[in-house]
Amino acid sequence: MGILGRVFRRKSKKQIPQSDTHLYRDLLTNITRVKNDFGQSDDLTVNSFKWNDSSPSICASLYIKSLVNTETINSLSEEISNLKIKDNKSRQALPFDVLRAHFSGVRTLKEGDKYIDLYADLLSGNTVFLLHGSRQYLSIPTESTEGRSVEEPSSQTVIRGPKEGFTENINQNILLVRKRIKSNTLRLENLSVGNLTRTAVGLMYIKNIAKDSIVREIRDRIKKIETDSILEGAYIEEWIKDDRYSVFPTFLSSEKPDSVASALLEGKVAIFTDGTPYVLTAPALMVEFLHSSEDYYHHYIIATMMRFLRFIAFFLTLLVPSFYIAIATFHQEILPTPLLVSIAAQREGVPFPTFLEALIMENTFEILREAGIRMPRAIGPAISIVGALVLGQAAVEAGIISAVIVIIVSITAISSFAIPNYEMANAIRATRFAFMILAGVIGIYGIFIGIIVLTLHLCKLKSIGVPYLTPIAPWIKDGNTDTFFRFPFWVMKNRPFGLHGDDKRRIGGEYTVRKNKKGNQEFR
Amino acid sequence: MNETKITSRQIISLTAGVTTAGSVLVIGALIASTAKQDAWIGSFLAILFGIPVIWVFLFLGRRFPRMTFVEISRELLGKWLGTVVAGSFLFLCLQISFHTPWFMSDFMTSQVMPETPHYVIRALYIAAMSIAILYGLEAFARASEIFMLVVSVLFVFVMVMVIPNAKIENLLPVFENGLIPVLKSSVFVTCFIALPNITMMMVYPARLDDLNKGEKSFLKGYFLGGGITCISILMSVLVLGWAITANSRFSVFRFANLINVGIVFSRIEVIVFVVWVLTQFIFCTIYFYAFVIGLSQLLKLKNHKRLVLPLALILLTMSEVIFPDVAYQEHWAVFTWIPYIFTHGFVLPVFLLMVYWIKKRVLKMDIGDNRGQK
Amino acid sequence: MQDMAVALFVVVFGSILSLIEIPDLLKKKMHRELVAFVVLTVLGMSLALLKAFGWSIPNPSDLLAWVYSPVEGIIKGLLE
């Protein structure tokens, strides 16, 4: 640049205070600045070293001890000492050029000159090199991959099927899904959300199968999130949900890679969040919350049976307590007489009206359930004995509640466990209480109005613009091969649910084994 | 008005709901007292008589796509006359919105739960209707798909269950009194099943994507609703005989009582109750929606949802006022409702049609959309 | 008694509704909607109160019956 250049540079130095954001030339100033900004944290390790005896430049390496992998650091220092020795013998070159030449082949090498970027790199577990006299820094990834290993998911167990579950490391999770979909159309986009946590969020979708508009919408929504922290996928879900107030989940969360992979193949977008083993898929439809990945691993008739059971369980857990309250309070004539007599006999000494009784028992069960989540393993059996014997049996014998209500509450509770997705089960829990209140006040009419309003609410919900109750309402013509019945694979010609983008057909051929067309004569 | 879109399948369910619900209550008694045991032929003919009426609706819909009935009348008749005509139509919609909560509370207190105070039942129903409109037409149309699915399944179930009780001799002798009573009764029935579909004109052209499929869906929905009515009258006569049917308020409810297939529960008519509640809900929500949308179009409002809750308050009070007692209601339904819906459901659209033709052919004015003109 | 309950409910609900909606409508400058809203709410509340205090409210069904009274004879004849 010459003299003129230096003059101009000096001038610009005076006009714009670059000292706040950009690195200095002086190594000591840089290091002091970094140490101050980190509050003299003991984690921050700074090592200065001379490049070699012939060159007067002093280099420094910085890293945060708790975030780096010790083995990588050790191998890094070995490489650098080898480089130093090599460079000693050859012509002098700037240390940074040597490092650049060596590292930029296969490893990602980042350079920059702003403090903010330097801090970001340090906090991601990189090692940063500073050189006296240079206004730039080099950073090399050395982050540690400490964390849980891949184990069976705790919340979603299957009888047949893969038992791998996601872990808290986002790269490992992406690996688990990439292993299953080996196609170049599987796209991954990395975002960073949260001002303080800077959580790594990954968007994954299959290019032609997912609708472009949906992908774009999700991407825009996530980019617009402005908050301090994203600690779990649920934070993202709350920020980008379509309907702010509804209890019903509109994002499907899963801990199993095969569920996520099959969702991606249906045209959904997967949202990975660093730090949690739960991966969100969007858009999610209501029927999917009642599906389990096992349905595809068993025979289709069995799977259909199990699905029906789950649908029945859904209605049972929602409506059984309210129907009991309504019938026992207002419409006793519905029951056949022997049953009515026995129920009346049981309720003879009970001091509470049916509504209160049901409310008390439901609340007691919910408390038991909450206690069960948090209790240490050692006391587990004791609590179940307490729950069963004391609350159930003894309360009935003491005449505080009737035996029928214990049966009702157990049916409700067991049915709620049959619902595969925990969020949906919780939503139903909340709605169940509303139904009980309606039943207690107005009886069966209240329940019907409640069902009508619930249906309206579900019809209004949308998940990223897709109506919640697709493919039932609006009825997609061939989209119902996978909702109530699980049709065999050779019937599901198109991708289900009407969510897909361009690529509609799933299979090319037909059922491969036909009686007359089997190859060998003896197999016919 | 935001651009809500309804699929043609939802048109089927909405139309079927309106057609069925308009007829369930008084129809059985009315038609059986006139046509006696030929009531089922009368209802079948009623469906056929309704086809020209539906055709008028479809024709107007084709010429003025994307416009609701209120807008069509203002377009054809000019600002003042069009507003008056539309206002009269909207008054009809308002009346229906008053009726259904009344029917609900009357039915519930007489048949199912005598001790409940009337206003609670009505208030809940009006609340549900308001929620339906506040959630938007799209959501309501989707819900109507589900409702009609449930209604069809339950209806078939009840009808099949009651077949053992059917006595074919209740249909004989056929045409005992000649054709005239049958024709008379069928015209009456048409007033209940076809003409209320005028309200669909507030929904049908304005919100549909594909007009051709929409026309076929309108007809399909009408036939579905008419079929349900026809079969229910048929079974009612088969099982109860025409005399009892002519004298009972809720004949379908009566004969569901007779189902005896050894099932545990003795009140199977709850299923009929469900069918009735669901179709009535579709019916009155469409009417209420038509009123809200029409009123906001007349007043040139941007957001119709603001009016729903104050109107709901008015509904709560007025739905008690309109029919002081059951005898009044039954008299009114025959002597006032029939001419009322006839003027608004038939005379009015035909009048609009004639104005359209005059303006088009005679005055050679360029109005309306010529798509699909054969 | 029932009318009093209805009237009370209508007045309370109407007031809460107005408290929420009117500032909102003013803020959004939806003047036409505001006028319609106020008119309808006042109408609703007054109808309920009138009924509760025993005044008889004009019945629109009566009005319609009167309008169509000439036709009554025709229909009666048709029904025979």
Side-chain angles (χ1 to χ4, degrees), chain A residues 331 442 445 448 457 459-460, chain B residues 113 121 124 135 142 273-274:
Chain A
H331 308 280
I442 324 195
Y445 178 70
F448 279 141
H457 180 78
C459 289
K460 167 205 174 228
Chain B
M113 295 168 30
I121 300 178
L124 269 187
Y135 275 164
R142 279 179 231 141
F273 166 65
V274 171

Side-chain angles (χ1 to χ4, degrees), chain B residues 94-127:
Chain B
L94 190 62
Q95 292 303 304
I96 306 291
S97 315
F98 293 157
H99 290 177
T100 315
W102 184 91
F103 281 143
M104 269 303 145
S105 71
D106 171 59
F107 179 83
M108 291 300 296
T109 45
S110 67
Q111 303 279 339
V112 184
M113 295 168 30
E115 320 98 27
T116 321
H118 287 245
Y119 63 90
V120 173
I121 300 178
R122 258 184 275 127
L124 269 187
Y125 203 78
I126 295 174

Side-chain angles (χ1 to χ4, degrees), chain A residues 84-105:
Chain A
K84 284 204 287 189
I85 296 174
K86 258 187 23 191
D87 189 54
N88 230 348
K89 298 188 190 142
S90 63
R91 269 176 67 89
Q92 272 190 18
L94 280 179
F96 267 8
D97 293 332
V98 176
L99 285 174
R100 250 182 240 131
H102 177 82
F103 284 118
S104 56

Side-chain angles (χ1 to χ4, degrees), chain B residues 9-10 20 49 61 68 75 78 146 150 153 182 191 194 200 204 217 220 227 250 256 261 268 291 348 356 365-366:
Chain B
R9 224 193 149 90
Q10 286 159 358
T20 318
F49 285 160
T68 68
E75 169 93 9
I146 298 183
V150 170
V153 167
V182 179
C191 291
M200 285 303 295
Y204 153 67
S217 308
K220 276 194 220 170
F250 306 109
V261 203
I268 291 288
F291 181 72
L348 190 54
Y356 172 78
M365 290 169 69
D366 184 28

Side-chain angles (χ1 to χ4, degrees), chain A residues 330-331 333-334 336 438 442 444-446 448-449 452-453 455-457 459-462 467 469 472-475, chain B residues 9-10 108 112-113 120-121 124-125 128 131-132 135 138-140 142-143 145-147 264-266 273-274 281:
Chain A
F330 294 103
H331 308 280
E333 66 271 10
I334 293 190
L438 271 177
I442 324 195
I444 283 207
Y445 178 70
F448 279 141
I449 294 282
I452 291 179
V453 174
T455 313
L456 281 169
H457 180 78
C459 289
K460 167 205 174 228
L461 282 179
K462 287 187 177 180
L469 288 183
I472 309 174
W475 181 275
Chain B
R9 224 193 149 90
Q10 286 159 358
M108 291 300 296
V112 184
M113 295 168 30
V120 173
I121 300 178
L124 269 187
Y125 203 78
I131 291 178
Y135 275 164
E138 271 185 334
F140 176 66
R142 279 179 231 141
E145 270 192 77
I146 298 183
F147 290 153
V264 179
F265 300 105
S266 61
F273 166 65
V274 171
F281 186 74

